[in-house]
Amino acid sequence: STMTYHCCPAKIGPSVLDCDMANLAAEGKRALAAGARYLHLDVMDGHFVPNISFGPYVIECLRRHIPDVFFDCHMMTAEPENWVEK
């Protein structure tokens, strides 16, 4: 029998929510070294969902350590427009 594969390559973007937050940059780099193409950042404000994660300042700091990788930000916030620069 023959197998048909999808023609689009998969791009893996793991969430850093479950990593060691004290070593966020190192954990992100470790995921990228293991083959991740981008990083998924879950931003939670405690209103839209009951958990709180991290916000713009932490993402800004992470960006200084990982400058050339796409950050996919999942905004689980009550008013996401208040969390990004216009």
Side-chain angles (χ1 to χ4, degrees), residues 10-52:
K11 294 182 181 178
I12 306 297
S15 173
V16 297
L17 190 59
D18 195 37
C19 75
D20 178 355
M21 290 296 174
N23 295 306
L24 186 57
E27 294 279 271
K29 289 177 183 179
R30 189 167 68 112
L32 294 165
R37 298 287 298 273
Y38 62 92
L39 296 177
H40 180 86
L41 308 175
D42 291 297
V43 178
M44 303 176 199
D45 66 357
H47 297 282
F48 186 73
V49 294
N51 295 338
I52 297 174

Side-chain angles (χ1 to χ4, degrees), residues 39-43 59 70-75:
L39 296 177
H40 180 86
L41 308 175
D42 291 297
V43 178
I59 295 171
F70 179 74
F71 289 173
D72 175 41
C73 294
H74 184 191
M75 302 296 290

